[in-house]
């Protein structure tokens, strides 16, 4: 049985189709990254799986049950948005409140230690810095000894060290058989963490694949140069003109540049830049410009 | 289940009593007003009993009304409460914990007033019916808590506190919670009969004399409970 699954889930907010027939599965011992630009529908999908939103059509299941039923969420861990801790509760009190919901929660002291919160246990939640709030929010996701954790943009705003520590935590959890669903708009993060990456764009699932395969599809580079004409260059996803310059989008920029040199066509002002995820999606889906 | 209600009860109570903006107005102001404006006029035990009951109601009103009006408004905008809904939390646990926390805080505020009266007025507790008094205090908390909820859902979160104050102070004055209705100006005496607080006070004054509740006021208070429940439900549904 998958830990989490959606079957043809659709959800609209007024005229906006936030999710359009999305079907996904997450197995134990797996990290699934939902990748997409802002507004792609990632948060809506997360809210459906957390039981906060009901789909208009289709079905969402966690542990084979409807996530809007409280009992279904016993093995689920999620992160609160860190802007909203109860301001007058202390860190250990917030943790105690969340632990009280689970039959066999993690040891409080051990959890605070793991997330670097031990020295802050007596601090009021309102007195935490941004990074500390983020760490508390992540600790809460693991407080109930979950089998499935759902993390919405877990590393946004974390410094490099904290990000590495969280990645270690997520991988350790996965290796012990846990399932992780995380959202990100950072391809590198999806690459570093995920066993599978699902690409969401304007509410539709464009692809679900291993990270390497996804990188081939959306890890595009932009190659700009001035030349009298454009030679035949295999492996180019898209060609544009920008003033007098050619702009090529390609997954393997090194190879394209090599071929360009070999073609003998004289060129100048060569630039190679990574392409943002948004632009890469537009290139793949053939939308835009 | 019990453990979970206890956990949320504790979080509610701790959350409230650490906020000076909640504790001072609800726990200290009623007794302070009582000392300043009522005590000098309370020369006999019937007057002391009646006015003490009024100020106990004023204290309960403050706790319950602001807990719901401001608390529910806060919940509407704070993502923490969306997070709580992702926990395996049965739907009735939090409302139950909130009611229990509200009762504890309201009772505390009322007892502070009673203790102040005991120390400073010719109060005659043995003439009152303590059970009737407690029951009347709890009963009046229902319509006024519902009115608070209606305010929370009818107005944008930032407006909830000022609107709550605009209802709390006039309703206390007109209801006769600060001074007996006979001492109010003529227009206010007329308006008084239309307030839920006046009918609430009538029940309390009867119990303070050891008498039975006047049925008309009991009926009026129940009617207000129904009206405010409908208003809160309508506002809540509109908000969705």
């Amino acid at each position: 049985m998958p830990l989490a699954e959606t079957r043809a889930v659709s959800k609209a907010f007024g005229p906006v189709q936030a999710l359009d027939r999305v079907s996904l599965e997450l197995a134990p011992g797996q990290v699934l990254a939902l990748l997409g630009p802002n507004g792609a529908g990632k948060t809506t999908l997360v809210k459906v799986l957390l039981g906060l939103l009901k789909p208009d059509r289709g079905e969402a299941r966690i542990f084979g049950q409807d996530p809007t039923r409280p009992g279904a969420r016993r093995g689920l861990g999620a992160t609160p948005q860190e802007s909203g801790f109860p301001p007058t509760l202390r860190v250990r009190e917030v943790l105690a409140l969340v632990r009280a919901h689970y039959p066999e929660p993690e040891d409080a002291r051990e959890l605070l230690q793991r997330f670097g919160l031990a020295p802050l246990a007596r601090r009021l939640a309102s007195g935490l810095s941004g990074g500390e709030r983020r760490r508390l929010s992540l600790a809460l996701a693991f407080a109930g000894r979950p089998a499935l954790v759902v993390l919405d943009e877990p590393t946004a705003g974390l410094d490099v060290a904290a990000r590495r520590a969280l990645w270690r935590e997520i991988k350790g959890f996965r290796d012990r058989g846990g399932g992780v669903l995380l959202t990100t708009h950072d391809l590198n993060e999806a690459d570093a963490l995920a066993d599978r990456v699902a690409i969401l764009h304007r509410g539709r699932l464009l692809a679900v694949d291993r990270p390497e395969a996804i990188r081939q599809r959306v890890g595009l580079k932009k190659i700009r140069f001035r030349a009298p004409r454009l030679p035949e260059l295999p492996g180019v996803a898209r060609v544009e003109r920008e003033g007098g310059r050619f702009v090529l989008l390609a997954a393997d920029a090194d190879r394209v540049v090599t071929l360009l040199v070999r073609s003998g066509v004289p060129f100048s002002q060569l630039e190679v830049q990574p392409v943002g995820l948004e632009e890469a999606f537009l290139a793949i889906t053939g939308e835009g410009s | 289940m019990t453990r979970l209600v206890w956990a949320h009860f504790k979080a509610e109570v701790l959350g409230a009593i650490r906020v000076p903006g909640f504790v001072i107005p609800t726990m200290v102001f009623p007794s302070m007003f009582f000392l300043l404006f009522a005590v000098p006029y309370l020369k006999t035990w019937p007057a002391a009993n009646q006015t003490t009951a009024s100020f106990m109601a004023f204290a309960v009103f403050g706790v319950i009304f602001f807990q719901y009006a401001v608390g529910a408004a806060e919940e509407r905008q704070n993502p923490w409460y969306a997070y709580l809904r992702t926990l395996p939390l049965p739907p009735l646990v939090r409302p139950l914990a909130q009611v229990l926390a509200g009762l504890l805080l309201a009772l505390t505020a009322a007892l502070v007033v009673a203790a102040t009266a005991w120390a400073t007025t010719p109060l005659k507790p043995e003439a009152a019916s303590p059970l009737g008094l407690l029951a009347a205090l709890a009963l009046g908390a229902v319509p006024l808590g519902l009115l608070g909820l209606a305010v929370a859902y009818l107005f944008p979160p930032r407006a909830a506190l000022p609107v709550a104050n605009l209802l709390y102070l006039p309703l206390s004055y007109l209801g006769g919670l600060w001074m007996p209705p006979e001492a109010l100006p003529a227009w206010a005496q007329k308006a008084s009969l239309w307030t839920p607080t006046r009918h609430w006070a009538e029940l309390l004054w009867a119990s303070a004399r050891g008498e039975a509740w006047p049925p008309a006021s009991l009926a009026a208070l129940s009617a207000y409970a129904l009206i405010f429940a409908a208003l809160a439900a309508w506002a809540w549904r509109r908000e969705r």
Side-chain angles (χ1 to χ4, degrees):
Chain A
M1 186 183 64
L3 294 178
E5 94 187 283
T6 62
R7 279 193 290 255
V9 162
S10 295
K11 179 82 195 171
F13 297 106
V16 181
Q17 192 68 41
L19 292 176
D20 188 2
R21 287 162 292 166
V22 173
S23 297
L24 267 181
E25 262 188 41
L26 172 64
Q30 206 177 54
V31 178
L32 171 62
L34 274 178
L35 184 64
N38 289 330
K42 299 182 306 251
T43 300
T44 307
L45 186 58
V46 163
K47 282 185 172 171
V48 166
L49 282 170
L50 296 179
L52 290 174
L53 282 178
K54 280 192 184 205
D56 297 336
R57 279 188 306 280
E59 270 196 326
R61 288 281 179 269
I62 55 173
F63 310 106
Q65 297 177 56
D66 178 356
T68 61
R69 291 189 35 221
R73 301 193 295 263
R74 211 160 286 145
L76 170 73
T79 42
Q81 272 181 43
E82 63 274 16
S83 57
F85 293 114
T88 54
L89 291 189
R90 300 181 194 283
V91 167
R92 59 185 167 84
E93 290 164 351
V94 172
L95 182 58
L97 176 63
V98 172
R99 286 176 74 251
H101 292 77
Y102 299 95
E104 287 170 57
E106 291 279 355
D107 181 66
R109 191 173 305 187
E110 200 265 334
L111 198 65
L112 290 173
Q113 206 83 50
R114 234 163 78 199
F115 285 87
L117 294 164
L120 307 172
R122 294 184 56 81
R123 186 89 69 82
L124 289 178
S126 53
L128 297 179
S129 74
E132 291 163 351
R133 280 160 179 265
R134 175 47 66 93
R135 275 166 16 223
L136 173 56
S137 135
L138 289 163
L140 294 181
F142 291 93
R145 229 181 266 274
L148 164 66
V149 293
V150 176
L151 307 172
D152 198 4
E153 304 272 350
T155 57
L158 282 188
D159 61 33
V160 177
R163 177 181 300 222
R164 287 279 145 73
L166 175 62
W167 285 5
R168 264 202 311 280
E169 189 70 38
I170 290 175
K171 285 176 175 166
F173 178 72
R174 186 255 324 263
D175 294 342
R176 294 191 297 275
V180 182
L181 177 76
L182 60 89
T183 70
T184 178
H185 50 235
D186 178 0
L187 181 58
N188 291 321
E189 180 162 287
D191 216 8
L193 278 177
D195 301 293
R196 287 193 313 147
V197 179
I199 296 187
L200 207 56
H201 183 59
R202 298 193 179 168
R204 284 176 43 225
L205 202 56
L206 296 186
V208 186
D209 216 331
R210 287 170 302 116
E212 307 85 71
I214 293 292
R215 179 171 281 286
Q216 295 246 307
R217 295 175 69 165
V218 296
L220 297 180
K221 294 264 167 54
K222 188 179 271 190
I223 307 152
R224 267 202 198 84
F225 56 88
R226 196 177 283 280
R229 65 185 176 82
L230 188 66
E232 189 74 14
L233 294 170
V236 172
R238 191 183 178 93
V239 180
E240 288 164 14
R241 299 290 300 248
E242 197 181 272
R245 297 206 291 179
F246 289 105
V247 180
L248 314 182
L249 294 180
D252 188 348
D254 299 330
R255 183 154 167 273
V256 169
V257 172
T258 309
L259 292 172
L260 175 65
V261 172
R262 281 197 195 142
S263 74
V265 173
F267 65 89
S268 58
Q269 297 176 16
L270 176 71
E271 281 173 23
V272 178
Q273 286 176 330
V275 168
L277 201 52
E278 176 89 13
E279 211 175 336
F281 284 135
L282 296 179
I284 302 174
T285 55
E287 292 173 40
S289 65
Chain B
M1 179 77 181
T2 324
R3 193 174 62 121
L4 207 44
V5 174
W6 169 245
H8 280 277
F9 171 79
K10 214 170 110 185
E12 281 296 316
V13 173
L14 286 177
I17 62 175
R18 285 190 186 139
V19 184
F22 177 82
V23 174
I24 305 285
T26 56
M27 302 287 161
V28 179
F29 281 6
S31 297
M32 202 173 80
F33 289 165
F34 181 75
L35 276 174
L36 292 175
F37 304 121
V39 169
Y41 305 101
L42 301 177
K43 305 295 183 206
T44 63
W45 77 258
N49 276 22
Q50 169 167 345
T51 305
T52 303
S54 306
F55 273 80
M56 287 170 83
F58 177 56
V60 169
F61 187 15
V63 172
I64 297 294
F65 193 56
F66 285 99
Q67 183 196 12
Y68 284 100
V70 180
E74 155 83 5
E75 291 207 6
R76 275 174 58 195
Q77 55 176 358
N78 190 335
W80 174 253
Y81 300 95
Y83 167 70
L84 289 183
R85 299 210 308 275
T86 72
L87 299 176
L89 171 64
L92 283 177
V93 168
R94 281 202 72 232
L96 181 59
Q98 282 171 312
V99 168
L100 292 175
L103 284 178
L104 173 73
L105 295 168
L107 189 65
T108 309
L111 287 178
V112 172
V113 170
T116 309
W118 170 254
T120 56
T121 68
L123 197 68
K124 195 170 164 194
E126 61 276 19
S129 143
L131 273 182
L133 215 50
L134 276 180
L137 283 174
L139 195 69
V142 175
L144 295 166
L146 289 167
L147 180 62
L149 269 184
V151 167
Y153 288 109
L154 280 174
F155 297 92
R158 289 170 61 106
L161 182 60
V163 172
N165 268 314
L166 277 177
L167 287 167
Y168 171 58
L169 299 174
L171 281 177
S172 301
Y173 170 76
L174 291 175
L177 302 186
W178 292 343
M179 56 185 98
E182 311 85 74
L184 293 174
W187 67 269
Q189 290 197 26
K190 280 199 196 102
S192 176
L193 296 171
W194 293 95
T195 61
T197 31
R198 169 64 182 275
H199 296 287
W200 186 22
E202 291 288 347
L203 305 189
L204 286 159
W205 295 333
S207 292
R209 292 189 298 265
E211 293 166 13
W213 294 345
S217 286
L218 183 58
L221 201 58
S222 312
Y224 271 113
L226 290 177
I227 293 168
F228 294 151
L231 187 64
W234 175 78
W236 180 79
R237 210 165 292 165
R238 191 190 61 152
E239 176 62 27
R240 290 260 138 162

